[in-house]
Structures are given as C-alpha cells and as structure tokens.
Amino acid sequence: MCILIAIATGDNNVIFYQDGKMKIKVINPNTSISMTVKIGLAAQAVANPSTEIIACNPSMGPVSIEGHYDEALAVVGLLEEIRKGEAEGIDGYVIACFGDPGLLAARELTRSPVIGIAEAAMHVASLISTSFSIVTTLSRTRIIAQHLVENYGMSRFCRHIRSTDLAVLELETDGNAKKIITEECRQALIEDKTEAIVLGCSGMADLAKEISQEIGAPVIDGVGAAVKFVEVLVSLGLETSKVGSLAFPIPKLYTGILQSFTVD
C-alpha cells in the first residue's frame, strides 16, 4: 500500500514522496512461464520507479489461450491469483490476455482496480487516433476480439481485426513471427486506412516499439497501457465500485474441485 507523505521545507516548498511501493500484480492467465517473463519485462519497462511489478501465472490451466474453451478454463486459475493478491496487499491488477478473461469476475473479488489489456489498448488507441486495427494471432480468436470491441463501445474506432494465423506459442518459437506481424500491421495501414495498430496478444508485448518505428504509426501494447491505467487509478485513490453489479460475491458453498472458492 502506498502512503503519500508531505514535508514542508523552509523555502515554502512542500515535497511529496511515497512511503512504500505501489504493487501491481500482472497476471498471465495461461501457464507458459516464458511468456509470463516476457509480459513482466514489458510491464516493468513502463512502470514508475515507485511501482513494484509482480508478474505471475496460475499453476493450472491451458498453456495458451486460443478460444472460448481455453478462456473458460483459464478463469479459475486467474481468480485464484486475484484471491492470493488480496492477501499480499496488491494495489491493482492487470489481466494480461487479449480476451480479458474473467475481468468482471475479478473485479467482484477486490476493491483494487483490475484492468484488461484489450480494454486498455483500445482506449489508448481511441485517445491518439480516430481509427485502429487489431492484429492478433489465430483467425478463430477474431470473434473474441470482435465481442470486446462491441462491449467496450469501440466499434466506431475499430476498422478491422486482422489475424496472422500464428499460434500464441509460435510467437516465441517462430523466427519469422516478428516479420509476419510487422507486415500485417503495414497492410492494415494501407488496406484498412487505419491510423493506429493494437497488438492482439500479450505475447506480442515486446514488439510494439520496433514495429511502430518500422511502419511509422502508433502501435499499442495492452500490457504497458494497462499498467499505466492501474497506476493512474491507484494514484487517484479510485477503487472498484462495490455498489451494484461489482459487489463482492454472495456468500455460498462451492462444491467438488471448486470447494476452496467457497465465499464465507
């Protein structure tokens, strides 16, 4: 928890500093540790010096998230990381998967801000351009991105959702991945007449700056964008509303393998 302290000096100045670091937990909802490391480095690269980044992934779930089934099964492990974060004194959370799986459920579990990377990236794109295209991985994931575009009120900004047909894990193993993604971003500028690119996978978090320089247009990585949004919300003292739909879960018994999720 961050506490802001003010000290008055003899020259009519007041110096403000933070006692303790802001703690942001960046959760990769899949179980690929190498991707978690990549995501954590991208988050730390943009975080304030007074922010501590804790990057993690669940101990159970799919190794990559590439469809509705994967998302559904990843949410349980994700929520367990939120629950652990509440005991660790975390100030805010980032869900580092472009499908923003379990976002609203996560917000029910905590007063701390929770930001999804698709949500953050699209909002940033809308602030610096009048149109953007999303460049993602497999074709089958485009519908998930489309649903998010509609849910977030971004339909008037989003020109197109483009796929590279790279599997998520191929982002780390295919030597041509960066070239393929860069070319798709370049084609988006030409064919979609778009002004900015949103990268549609947290596994692309390390590519945004290089691709932006190569194509001459803004390229937004949702991991970095989400971290900055969390920092702003925490600094403003804003918490997740507990009035209405995001109130804490109703106490009830959960059975079977979900027994540990029982809410008292």
Side-chain angles (χ1 to χ4, degrees):
M1 180 65 67
C2 296
I3 301 173
L4 195 62
I5 298 176
I7 298 178
T9 65
D11 52 2
N12 295 322
N13 291 326
V14 179
I15 301 173
F16 292 89
Y17 73 95
Q18 289 180 325
D19 180 22
K21 286 193 170 186
M22 181 188 301
K23 293 183 179 181
I24 298 179
K25 191 170 190 178
V26 180
I27 306 170
N28 168 22
N30 73 40
T31 58
S32 172
I33 296 174
S34 59
M35 190 167 292
T36 300
V37 172
K38 179 193 293 187
I39 289 168
L41 290 172
Q44 190 64 62
V46 302
N48 290 330
S50 58
T51 297
E52 179 181 350
I53 297 293
I54 300 99
C56 68
N57 57 259
S59 60
M60 59 179 173
V63 295
S64 61
I65 299 173
E66 296 170 311
H68 307 287
Y69 184 77
D70 292 341
E71 278 201 358
L73 293 181
V75 168
V76 176
L78 164 71
L79 295 179
E80 178 62 17
E81 290 302 322
I82 299 287
R83 293 203 321 159
K84 289 193 293 187
E86 291 302 277
E88 296 164 354
I90 298 297
D91 296 300
Y93 301 87
V94 170
I95 297 179
C97 170
F98 200 78
D100 291 353
L103 177 58
L104 295 181
R107 285 176 176 161
E108 285 190 27
L109 283 179
T110 178
R111 291 185 182 276
S112 300
V114 185
I115 302 293
I117 65 169
E119 174 185 50
M122 291 185 209
H123 279 85
V124 166
S126 74
L127 294 173
I128 62 173
S129 67
T130 60
S131 61
F132 64 83
S133 289
I134 298 171
V135 174
T136 188
T137 51
L138 298 180
S139 297
R140 65 177 295 163
T141 65
R142 292 174 64 232
I143 189 62
I144 296 174
Q146 183 61 50
H147 289 164
L148 293 179
V149 167
E150 295 166 3
N151 289 342
Y152 295 153
M154 291 288 160
S155 297
R156 67 192 181 98
F157 294 102
C158 185
R159 289 282 175 85
H160 195 39
I161 302 170
R162 308 174 71 96
S163 61
T164 59
D165 278 325
L166 286 165
V168 169
L169 297 183
E170 287 180 333
L171 297 174
E172 299 185 336
T173 61
D174 189 330
N176 290 318
K178 177 179 175 291
K179 181 179 179 181
I180 293 170
I181 295 165
T182 301
E183 184 55 31
E184 198 65 41
C185 293
R186 200 187 313 276
Q187 289 304 307
L189 298 181
I190 298 169
E191 297 173 5
D192 305 343
K193 308 298 183 187
T194 198
E195 299 174 0
I197 304 295
V198 167
L199 295 179
C201 180
S202 60
M204 301 177 183
D206 58 334
L207 302 178
K209 286 187 177 181
E210 288 185 42
I211 295 177
S212 179
Q213 292 172 351
E214 288 195 33
I215 69 173
V219 177
I220 298 113
D221 152 47
V223 174
V227 166
K228 301 312 288 186
F229 272 126
V230 171
E231 286 183 334
V232 168
L233 292 171
V234 173
S235 296
L236 290 172
L238 293 173
E239 299 180 331
T240 298
S241 174
K242 292 302 162 188
V243 179
S245 64
L246 296 180
F248 288 111
I250 298 170
K252 67 179 65 174
L253 177 66
Y254 285 71
T255 60
I257 63 173
L258 296 180
Q259 186 173 0
S260 64
F261 284 82
T262 292
V263 179
D264 299 320

